Amino acid sequence: MRGRRSLPPRGGARPTLRRSRRPAGRRAPARSPSAGGGSRPGRAIAPQRSSSAPQGAPGRPTVRAPAAEDTTRKSGNTSGRSPSTLSSRSGGGARGAGTGPRRGGPMELAAMRAVPFLRNLPESALEGLGSRLRAVEREAGAVLFHAGEPADTMYFVESGELEALLDLDGEPLARLGPGSFVGEIALLIDQPRSATVRVAATARLWELSRSDLDGLLDRHPLLALELSRELSRRLVATSLRVASAPAVQCTGVHGDPVALARVLDAAEPGRIALAVLPGATVPASVPDSVLVVDATAVDAEGATALAREGVPGRGRLLLLLPPTPSPVTTRVLGLCEYAVAVGAVPPWLEQDGRPRRVLRCDGSRPSLERVSRWIRGRAIGLALSSGGSKAVAHVGVLRVLREMGIEIDALAGTSGGAVVGAGYACGLGEEELVARLRELARSLQLRHGDFNLLPRSALLKGARLRHLFDTQCGGRSFADTTIPLWLVASDLATGREVVIDRGPLADGVRASMSMPVFFNPWPRDGRLLIDGAVVNPLPASVLRDAGIRRIIGSNVAGQESRLEPGPSGRIPHVLQIVSRMINSMEREMLKVQVPLVDVMIRPQVNIGYAFDFGRIGEFIAEGVRAARAGAGDALARLAS
């Protein structure tokens, strides 16, 4: 019947219609097909229990249908690109497009060492592999191979970028940059290609045939072992990347939801529903195209069913929470992907068993836009690596991201990356951030150190460093940052990763950069914490665990420091030795994190030891160069 809209009755309740009041002089807008089955503005469905309904059956929520001024649904293209862009990318991707394969000299040993799973192979194995590879160049848009095709080659990526897809019009399943390889699975199991691989940025590749791979595996069993390890790491990475989305994308909202509903509705017209739970007040001035569900009379079972099933025709459901917790909020919050706190965060919202992430919103436009991107799965996270003074290059990367208009919605940092990340999350501009880094550099000079009288654990206590961080952060806590921030440290007793996102910022930064031998372990929550570079030098996994689906990595970890023997061949000093030891650990840990990053930026910074701040300007310039030249196109695609 025209003008009626109801949800399927539950518990024997049968909805009836009642007419809502319309302000005098207001005309009813024309109906829109997208308003959900011919709904007419000004109608509402009110729950009434029939006498035969069983006791305790949940009441039906009241639904206020939206005005249908312009609620045309978006097309099925969810990639964020325009259809014309997609067609040009796929249409020009005929196999073999580009310069085509050509014979070249053997692949350089240095280039092979850059491929993670080849790094540990003996030189004899690398020479055998290099002599069997042939150089291949492909232009952007070319299709390397299609899903379902017979497989007879695999490829190593020397430069450029590839993307794996289920079909040419779909979203990329993975992006493969320098040091990656592709096509090996079909060769190993003798099956057709499982995915289509397209060139995203002009690429130089090295091609290896099936017969050559088989011969190498027979002669060099270690190659098979390293290959299996790399495939295992990819499987773990894929498990972290791919998570089934809930049938209903449900978000709890504490505080005034109107501004957030407006921002979400502007991004996704006609897809937003707002359910008002018991104890909450039906808001005024909700956009006409947002469907309002009066669920103030339902019990816990009814609210749970609403959260699970959603509202027909609406892809996202906001649940307006009451000021205080209740059995209803306890049930529905367990089904929410996020909870949004507009204004102050009530303590009960962050208790155990609540959503995996509480998004803070101060009500400003930038904050509302950021929360909207989180809810819609469009948030971009930035992982800042460890690397001591090399981490200054992250400042140059941040400059390029700002110039490109790429909004960072979440940050995770380790050690030196924690220092830069904390400053950025506090809203510091580049000039102020650089000034803080120069101040840090001065404080790390040995003459300013708070030495342990008897250096049992480390040379320096690091208490002065913590005080400096607290001063620079203005005494802020993690709850005071403008964007979500996670810092990584390592538990000295267990060797496990510790992710810090609560309490004073200064404690988190100090713990994350507790470099062994240099600084005492930092006590926190009954544990002694040391530098996070030991367990996770590039915390992309932390962002994935938080629900971020698009990740940029700025990585200066694992690069060799200059090793300059002193006069008469004297061995390097302790700072250089410890720095090189940590670099070696970082390179191993990076193998797990790199596959989780969508766009990797790799500034090349050469220093003498971990706290060599002598060329801050050069480090920043290198970060700018790496972001623009090495990842500019990939960044633009990620943000599109």
Side-chain angles (χ1 to χ4, degrees):
M1 291 182 293
R2 296 184 62 183
R4 297 190 183 185
R5 178 170 184 161
S6 63
L7 304 179
R10 301 188 187 100
R14 186 172 183 81
T16 60
L17 295 177
R18 62 181 173 85
R19 184 180 299 275
S20 63
R21 296 179 180 178
R22 181 181 300 129
R26 180 176 177 180
R27 298 180 60 189
R31 286 194 307 120
S32 164
S34 65
S39 298
R40 181 177 299 164
R43 297 274 184 174
I45 299 174
Q48 290 188 0
R49 293 185 188 275
S50 67
S51 60
S52 61
Q55 295 298 318
R60 291 292 301 130
T62 300
V63 179
R64 188 174 73 213
E69 296 172 357
D70 183 12
T71 56
T72 304
R73 292 288 180 85
K74 291 184 177 181
S75 68
N77 171 22
T78 59
S79 67
R81 304 188 186 101
S82 67
S84 60
T85 302
L86 287 171
S87 62
S88 65
R89 292 278 304 273
S90 59
R95 187 172 182 176
T99 59
R102 62 176 179 81
R103 288 287 177 183
M107 188 177 182
E108 295 289 341
L109 289 180
M112 285 189 281
R113 293 286 186 195
V115 180
F117 93 92
L118 298 179
R119 182 174 292 128
N120 299 322
L121 293 177
E123 190 166 321
S124 60
L126 293 179
E127 289 175 348
L129 174 63
S131 65
R132 289 167 172 77
L133 296 171
R134 67 169 182 166
V136 177
E137 292 184 1
R138 290 286 187 270
E139 298 293 335
V143 174
L144 199 60
F145 51 76
H146 291 271
E149 288 183 347
D152 54 4
T153 54
M154 66 175 291
Y155 300 87
F156 298 90
V157 184
E158 181 177 339
S159 64
E161 185 182 52
L162 309 179
E163 53 188 9
L165 315 99
L166 287 179
D167 58 75
L168 288 173
D169 291 329
E171 275 288 284
L173 302 173
R175 298 184 187 277
L176 306 168
S180 303
F181 58 94
V182 66
E184 76 293 338
I185 294 179
L187 296 188
L188 293 172
I189 64 176
D190 196 20
Q191 293 290 324
R193 303 289 191 187
S194 59
T196 296
V197 172
R198 182 172 58 196
V199 179
T202 300
R204 179 177 172 83
L205 313 170
W206 292 90
E207 185 181 69
L208 181 67
S209 70
R210 177 196 297 274
S211 59
D212 286 336
L213 176 62
D214 291 343
L216 286 168
L217 293 177
D218 288 339
R219 285 188 294 275
H220 301 285
L222 184 58
L223 178 62
L225 177 61
E226 290 294 334
L227 184 59
S228 66
R229 286 174 175 169
E230 182 66 19
L231 292 175
S232 298
R233 283 191 288 267
R234 287 191 180 187
L235 180 60
V236 172
T238 301
S239 299
L240 289 173
R241 279 176 172 270
V242 180
S244 58
V248 178
Q249 294 176 323
C250 186
T251 301
V253 181
H254 183 275
D256 187 353
V258 174
L260 178 60
R262 290 184 186 279
V263 172
L264 285 169
D265 183 60
E268 298 180 338
R271 297 194 67 235
I272 311 301
L274 173 65
V276 184
L277 297 181
T281 303
V282 178
S285 304
V286 177
D288 288 335
S289 56
V290 173
L291 188 70
V292 176
V293 180
D294 186 352
T296 54
V298 304
D299 58 12
E301 292 296 331
T304 300
L306 177 63
R308 283 177 175 163
E309 299 173 16
V311 178
R314 300 286 158 156
R316 302 194 189 280
L317 177 63
L318 303 180
L319 297 174
L320 182 56
L321 306 173
T324 57
S326 68
V328 171
T329 59
T330 301
R331 293 285 291 274
V332 300
L333 279 173
L335 299 174
C336 292
E337 185 173 10
Y338 302 109
V340 178
V342 182
V345 181
W348 58 268
L349 200 59
E350 295 186 303
Q351 293 175 359
D352 291 340
R354 303 303 181 189
R356 61 179 175 183
R357 184 65 189 165
V358 175
L359 303 176
R360 296 177 173 87
C361 180
D362 61 14
S364 66
R365 185 70 184 189
S367 182
L368 290 166
E369 293 284 0
R370 179 170 293 115
V371 170
S372 170
R373 289 190 292 270
W374 270 83
I375 292 174
R376 295 183 290 114
R378 302 288 297 171
I380 294 178
L382 176 62
L384 299 176
S385 78
S386 56
S389 57
K390 296 193 295 282
V392 173
H394 297 325
V395 178
V397 172
L398 288 168
R399 178 195 297 176
V400 174
L401 296 179
R402 189 182 298 111
E403 290 173 350
M404 296 183 67
I406 297 176
E407 296 286 348
I408 299 301
D409 301 303
L411 274 168
T414 298
S415 195
V419 178
V420 176
Y424 188 82
C426 288
L428 298 183
E430 180 177 325
E431 185 175 341
E432 191 173 5
L433 184 55
V434 171
R436 302 290 173 85
L437 290 172
R438 293 188 186 279
E439 186 180 10
L440 172 63
R442 289 191 295 270
S443 72
L444 290 173
Q445 294 174 359
L446 293 181
R447 65 176 179 270
H448 299 305
D450 50 350
F451 284 89
N452 286 305
L453 187 60
L454 295 175
R456 177 180 177 182
S457 300
L459 296 175
L460 303 173
K461 299 174 183 177
R464 291 182 184 174
L465 193 62
R466 193 273 179 196
H467 177 72
L468 174 65
F469 290 146
D470 195 47
T471 302
Q472 292 185 341
C473 295
R476 292 183 179 91
S477 70
F478 281 85
D480 300 321
T481 59
T482 57
I483 59 178
L485 172 69
W486 296 268
L487 304 180
V488 175
S490 175
D491 188 325
L492 180 61
T494 65
R496 293 180 178 175
E497 175 182 293
V498 177
V499 179
I500 306 171
D501 66 347
R502 299 172 188 271
L505 271 176
D507 280 337
V509 177
R510 170 62 180 83
S512 183
M513 64 170 297
S514 297
M515 190 171 179
V517 179
F518 288 90
F519 299 113
N520 284 351
W522 193 251
R524 191 177 189 278
D525 297 334
R527 294 180 290 193
L528 290 176
L529 303 182
I530 61 174
D531 201 303
V534 175
V535 290
N536 192 346
L538 182 69
S541 58
V542 175
L543 294 172
R544 290 281 176 197
D545 289 342
I548 296 291
R549 301 171 191 174
R550 302 191 295 172
I551 296 176
I552 301 169
S554 179
N555 180 24
V556 294
Q559 298 180 27
E560 291 291 0
S561 304
R562 294 195 309 269
L563 192 59
E564 299 173 354
S568 304
R570 190 166 49 192
I571 63 175
H573 58 68
V574 65
L575 302 182
Q576 291 177 318
I577 294 173
V578 173
S579 296
R580 292 180 70 85
M581 290 172 55
I582 292 180
N583 285 343
S584 298
M585 289 186 287
E586 287 174 335
R587 283 193 293 274
E588 190 62 30
M589 295 299 103
L590 284 170
K591 294 178 182 178
V592 178
Q593 299 299 320
V594 168
L596 303 178
V597 175
D598 296 293
V599 178
M600 182 66 76
I601 303 171
R602 187 75 161 133
Q604 300 296 318
V605 182
N606 193 359
I607 60 175
Y609 61 98
F611 300 134
D612 180 2
F613 285 92
R615 296 172 291 141
I616 286 181
E618 292 180 26
F619 297 169
I620 295 174
E622 171 57 18
V624 171
R625 183 209 62 78
R628 286 177 178 165
D633 292 342
L635 288 171
R637 286 193 300 274
L638 185 71
S640 63

